[in-house]
């Protein structure tokens, strides 16, 4: 899979075809692209879910990012940790038991999560009572995620020569004033696993030349909010604070989710992930495909081998003993949902 990843996610999926058929699985693929595929064996209630796409290699590698090299007790390469390693564990776990099983694979998690929406829309999750998202958590059990809200703020004015600003209407200054009002906006609440909601000013653009009054200005805000908060409310309050001269549009959104520690899937995952030394429940500050499945009413946990801090880096790798632990945990989960 690590070598195939250089050819894109479909090449990764092709690698899995033979081993999954040999383990008794049959595939069903979405009609819509980017595609998702559900491999099923028996009357599966539990889905192991992963993404076959990886982020670009980038710079700085001292090993072949598409080599799949084994060294220092680790497998190295882009996707080893996020999350082809987990997908390898899914297959090995399915081979270790004859329990019913679904393995749900998507191809655009890093760029859009449309495949997860197609999977839902085309019924690929039918009969599924729990989804295990195999993102790397170091085998802690993720039961909550912040929501993601990306907003574009636009101020419009009228341009003029920089020597006669009184003839124009400076959009940059309008936007800066609005942003300072927004900066003080309280985002209420605190979550025991997720902490507080956050807001980050990510981009700010205005003006083409120092001797012009800019006619438009834009800013992008990245809001990470808590389960129980509503994106519509946040946007409405931002509009109120920003004032009438500022347009606020949502350009991307993932919903937050939270699973009770008493939910059967949370209990099963905590049991399965325990290696005797105890296991931690976790909240994630970023979004996974659980943000698509959980709001549709399907319980989700995030559980995978590998250190999250190595994902997307020039030293991405996964320890062999982490892979072994992943296989054992996923196999125990499949048995629990037999
Ligand atoms: Zn990932």
């Amino acid at each position: 899979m690590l070598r195939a990843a250089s050819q894109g996610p479909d090449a990764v999926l092709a690698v899995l075809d033979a081993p999954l058929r040999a383990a008794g699985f049959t595939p069903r693929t979405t009609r819509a692209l980017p595609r998702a595929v559900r491999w099923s064996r028996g009357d599966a209630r539990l889905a192991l879910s992963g993404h076959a796409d990886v982020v670009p290699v980038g710079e700085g590698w001292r090993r072949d990012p598409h080599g799949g090299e084994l060294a220092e007790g680790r497998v190295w390469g882009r996707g080893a940790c996020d999350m082809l390693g987990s997908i390898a564990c899914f297959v090995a776990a399915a081979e270790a038991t004859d329990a019913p099983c679904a393995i749900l694979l998507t191809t655009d998690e890093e760029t859009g999560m449309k495949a997860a929406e197609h999977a839902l829309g085309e019924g690929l999750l039918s009969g599924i009572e729990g989804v295990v998202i195999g993102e790397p958590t170091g085998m802690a059990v993720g039961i909550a995620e912040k929501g993601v809200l990306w907003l574009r703020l636009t101020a419009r004015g009228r341009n003029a020569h920089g020597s006669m600003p009184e003839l124009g209407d400076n959009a940059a200054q309008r936007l800066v004033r609005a942003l300072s009002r927004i900066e003080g906006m309280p985002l209420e609440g605190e979550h025991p696993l997720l902490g507080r909601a956050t807001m980050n000013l990510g981009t700010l653009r205005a003006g083409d030349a120092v001797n012009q009054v800019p006619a438009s200005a834009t800013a992008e805000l990245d809001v990470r909010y808590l389960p129980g908060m509503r994106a519509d409310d946040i946007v409405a309050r931002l509009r109120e604070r920003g004032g009438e001269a500022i347009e606020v549009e949502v350009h991307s959104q993932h919903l937050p989710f939270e699973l009770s520690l008493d939910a059967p899937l949370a209990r099963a995952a905590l049991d399965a992930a325990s290696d005797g030394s105890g296991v931690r429940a976790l909240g994630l500050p970023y979004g996974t495909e659980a943000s698509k499945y959980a709001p549709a009413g399907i319980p989700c946990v995030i559980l995978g081998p590998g250190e999250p801090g190595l994902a997307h880096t020039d030293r991405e790798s996964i320890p062999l003993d982490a892979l072994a632990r992943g296989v054992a945990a996923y196999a125990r989960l499949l048995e629990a949902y037999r």
Side-chain angles (χ1 to χ4, degrees):
M1 281 192 286
L2 290 172
R3 290 175 197 137
S6 67
Q7 311 295 314
D10 287 342
V12 172
L13 294 180
V15 171
L16 296 168
D17 201 86
L20 285 171
R21 285 184 197 279
F25 285 77
T26 51
R28 185 179 155 202
T29 304
T30 56
R31 287 182 302 278
L33 298 175
R35 79 182 84 242
V37 53
R38 170 181 167 164
W39 287 89
S40 307
R41 180 177 67 194
D43 209 0
R45 295 192 295 131
L46 186 75
L48 305 175
S49 166
H51 62 85
D53 59 316
V54 299
V55 293
V57 165
E59 292 176 2
W61 283 83
R62 292 191 296 126
R63 298 182 187 276
D64 178 357
H66 296 303
E69 193 181 340
L70 265 173
E72 301 172 39
R74 293 169 168 267
V75 188
W76 297 79
R78 173 59 78 231
C81 170
D82 184 12
M83 56 175 281
L84 304 181
S86 302
I87 294 174
C89 292
F90 295 167
V91 179
E95 288 169 344
T97 161
D98 62 357
C101 176
I103 296 178
L104 180 63
L105 301 168
T106 60
T107 52
D108 72 330
E109 192 271 348
E110 301 285 6
T111 52
M113 300 195 198
K114 289 286 173 212
E117 291 175 9
H118 299 324
L120 262 178
E122 296 190 26
L124 264 61
L125 283 107
S126 70
I128 295 300
E129 296 167 21
V131 175
V132 180
I133 309 277
E135 296 285 352
T137 59
M139 299 310 283
V141 178
I143 57 166
E145 265 176 34
K146 282 185 178 173
V148 181
L149 187 57
W150 287 350
L151 301 161
R152 186 173 293 119
L153 277 56
T154 307
R156 298 195 195 283
R158 189 174 66 249
N159 58 24
H161 194 286
S163 66
M164 294 170 271
E166 68 280 7
L167 298 181
D169 176 1
N170 192 314
Q173 285 181 340
R174 268 181 194 281
L175 183 62
V176 166
R177 284 194 295 270
L179 287 170
S180 67
R181 290 194 295 273
I182 284 166
E183 195 183 7
M185 185 176 109
L187 291 167
E188 74 287 348
E190 185 156 4
H191 187 278
L193 294 175
L194 295 169
R196 305 188 67 88
T198 60
M199 182 159 57
N200 180 58
L201 173 59
T203 71
L204 189 55
R205 290 192 184 90
D208 298 312
V210 67
N211 56 354
Q212 273 184 334
V213 174
S216 74
T218 60
E220 288 174 304
L221 290 179
D222 179 350
V223 180
R224 306 295 170 122
Y225 63 104
L226 302 176
M229 295 170 79
R230 282 168 34 93
D232 288 353
D233 292 342
I234 297 170
V235 173
R237 285 163 54 208
L238 277 167
R239 285 201 172 111
E240 201 179 302
R241 286 232 170 199
E244 280 180 6
I246 305 295
E247 292 164 27
V248 179
E249 40 175 349
V250 176
H251 71 90
S252 186
Q253 187 180 357
H254 300 299
L255 294 169
F257 93 94
E258 177 173 35
L259 184 67
S260 162
L261 270 175
D262 295 327
L265 179 63
R267 286 171 173 275
L270 286 162
D271 282 348
S274 173
D275 62 352
S277 60
V279 62
R280 211 156 52 90
L282 190 74
L284 305 181
Y286 50 87
T288 72
E289 287 172 331
S291 70
K292 303 297 174 194
Y293 305 138
I298 306 167
C300 293
V301 292
I302 299 97
L303 170 64
E307 301 117 297
L310 290 180
H312 300 200
T313 70
D314 59 10
R315 53 200 179 283
E316 185 169 355
S317 60
I318 190 163
L320 292 174
D321 58 0
L323 289 169
R325 213 180 140 196
V327 174
Y330 294 143
R332 280 196 287 268
L333 263 168
L334 291 175
E335 288 294 337
Y337 274 77
R338 185 183 271 280

